[in-house]
Amino acid sequence: MSTFAKSLILSAGLAFAFSASAADQLNNTQWTTYNDKGQPDSVLKFTESNGKISAKIVKLLDPRAQGRTVCDVCRGKFKDKSLIGATVLWDLKADPNNPNKYVGGSGIEPETGMTFSGKGELKGDTLELRGYKGISLLGKTRVLKRR
């Protein structure tokens, strides 16, 4: 095998490893969400499968959620499902041009039942998630902190 061929195979392997590890930055991590008043809302656990990232609620921190066990305001397949263990973000993918950015996701706001498109950016121990309907400019950003 020529040196060029070995170099090409090694480069391809490194590129694949780098792209796979980009999605793994959030894999099996937990993050605290905050409401509009800056108070802790919930704890989400992120997991990655086949290059797609999802997040589930693992703990409710908002006192308003005490006694609420299901998403009674949600629509469709989320209606009356348990809040703990509920997938609230799915299909998020690492941006191939920037391993700290995530694109193409969807999610649901359990408080209102509204579904949205989403994207995010990892900045150290903070994760900025932007949810929007239609265009990102008209959306809302939530800052999560790593636990």
Side-chain angles (χ1 to χ4, degrees):
M1 184 179 284
S2 73
T3 304
F4 175 75
K6 288 179 186 176
S7 178
L8 185 62
I9 291 170
L10 178 62
S11 295
L14 288 173
F16 176 77
F18 179 75
S19 67
S21 69
D24 289 339
Q25 291 184 86
L26 295 178
N27 193 27
N28 289 318
T29 60
Q30 291 191 5
W31 299 77
T32 302
T33 66
Y34 296 86
N35 62 25
D36 290 334
K37 296 177 182 175
Q39 300 165 326
D41 217 15
S42 65
V43 176
L44 301 182
K45 181 175 182 180
F46 284 77
T47 56
E48 183 266 332
S49 177
N50 297 320
K52 293 183 179 180
I53 298 164
S54 61
K56 291 183 180 189
I57 298 173
V58 294
K59 186 175 185 180
L60 295 173
L61 303 173
D62 187 336
R64 297 174 301 159
Q66 298 304 317
R68 247 183 107 198
T69 59
V70 298
C71 190
D72 52 358
V73 296
C74 292
R75 299 180 198 111
K77 68 180 182 177
F78 299 101
K79 178 89 173 137
D80 295 326
K81 298 293 183 193
S82 176
L83 287 170
I84 301 295
T87 299
V88 293
L89 183 65
W90 57 93
D91 290 344
L92 202 60
K93 297 178 268 324
D95 184 330
N97 299 316
N98 185 336
N100 291 323
K101 290 190 176 185
Y102 299 88
V103 296
S106 297
I108 187 165
E109 173 63 54
E111 199 170 288
T112 63
M114 184 180 81
T115 57
F116 54 86
S117 298
K119 63 182 184 176
E121 183 171 3
L122 184 61
K123 297 180 177 180
D125 284 339
T126 63
L127 176 63
E128 294 180 0
L129 289 178
R130 183 144 187 93
Y132 54 93
K133 285 273 197 189
I135 60 172
S136 176
L137 182 65
L138 301 176
K140 180 192 281 189
T141 298
R142 297 276 186 183
V143 177
L144 287 64
K145 294 185 181 171
R146 189 185 304 264
R147 292 183 64 91

Coordinates of all heavy atoms in Angstrom, one line a residue, residues 10 12 15-16 23 33 87-88 127 138 141 143 145-146:
L10 N -5.9 7.1 6.9 CA -5.7 7.6 8.2 C -6.5 8.9 8.4 O -7.2 9.2 9.4 CB -4.2 7.9 8.5 CG -3.9 8.5 9.9 CD1 -4.4 7.6 11.0 CD2 -2.4 8.8 10.0
A12 N -9.1 9.9 6.7 CA -10.6 9.6 6.6 C -11.0 9.0 8.0 O -12.0 9.4 8.5 CB -10.9 8.6 5.6
A15 N -11.1 11.9 10.5 CA -12.3 12.8 10.2 C -13.5 12.1 10.7 O -14.4 12.8 11.3 CB -12.4 13.0 8.7
F16 N -13.7 10.8 10.5 CA -14.8 10.1 11.0 C -14.9 10.1 12.6 O -15.9 10.4 13.2 CB -14.9 8.7 10.5 CG -16.0 7.9 11.1 CD1 -17.3 8.0 10.6 CD2 -15.7 7.0 12.2 CE1 -18.3 7.3 11.2 CE2 -16.8 6.3 12.7 CZ -18.1 6.4 12.2
A23 N -20.8 14.8 18.3 CA -22.1 14.5 18.8 C -22.0 14.0 20.2 O -23.0 14.2 21.0 CB -22.8 13.5 17.9
T33 N -32.2 23.3 33.5 CA -32.9 24.3 32.7 C -33.4 25.4 33.6 O -33.6 25.1 34.8 CB -34.1 23.7 31.9 OG1 -35.1 23.2 32.8 CG2 -33.7 22.5 31.0
T87 N -39.4 12.8 26.7 CA -38.4 13.3 25.7 C -38.9 14.7 25.3 O -40.0 14.8 24.7 CB -38.3 12.4 24.5 OG1 -37.8 11.1 24.9 CG2 -37.3 13.0 23.5
V88 N -38.1 15.7 25.6 CA -38.5 17.1 25.3 C -37.7 17.7 24.1 O -38.1 18.8 23.7 CB -38.5 18.0 26.5 CG1 -39.5 17.6 27.5 CG2 -37.1 18.0 27.1
L127 N -25.1 25.6 27.8 CA -25.7 25.2 26.5 C -26.8 26.1 26.2 O -27.8 26.2 26.9 CB -26.2 23.7 26.6 CG -26.9 23.2 25.3 CD1 -25.9 23.1 24.1 CD2 -27.4 21.8 25.6
L138 N -37.4 34.7 15.4 CA -38.6 34.9 16.2 C -38.7 33.9 17.4 O -39.8 33.8 18.0 CB -39.8 34.8 15.3 CG -39.9 35.8 14.2 CD1 -41.1 35.6 13.3 CD2 -39.9 37.3 14.7
T141 N -34.4 31.8 23.4 CA -33.2 31.1 23.8 C -33.3 30.7 25.3 O -33.6 31.6 26.1 CB -31.9 31.9 23.5 OG1 -31.8 32.1 22.1 CG2 -30.7 31.2 24.0
V143 N -30.8 29.1 28.4 CA -29.4 28.8 28.7 C -29.5 27.7 29.8 O -30.1 27.8 30.8 CB -28.7 30.0 29.3 CG1 -27.3 29.6 29.7 CG2 -28.6 31.1 28.2
K145 N -27.3 24.9 32.2 CA -26.0 24.7 32.9 C -25.7 23.3 33.2 O -26.6 22.6 33.7 CB -25.9 25.6 34.1 CG -26.0 27.1 33.8 CD -25.8 27.9 35.0 CE -26.0 29.4 34.6 NZ -26.0 30.2 35.8
R146 N -24.5 22.9 32.9 CA -24.1 21.5 33.1 C -24.1 21.2 34.6 O -23.7 22.0 35.4 CB -22.6 21.3 32.6 CG -22.2 19.8 32.6 CD -20.8 19.7 32.1 NE -20.5 20.2 30.8 CZ -20.4 19.5 29.7 NH1 -20.7 18.2 29.7 NH2 -20.1 20.1 28.6

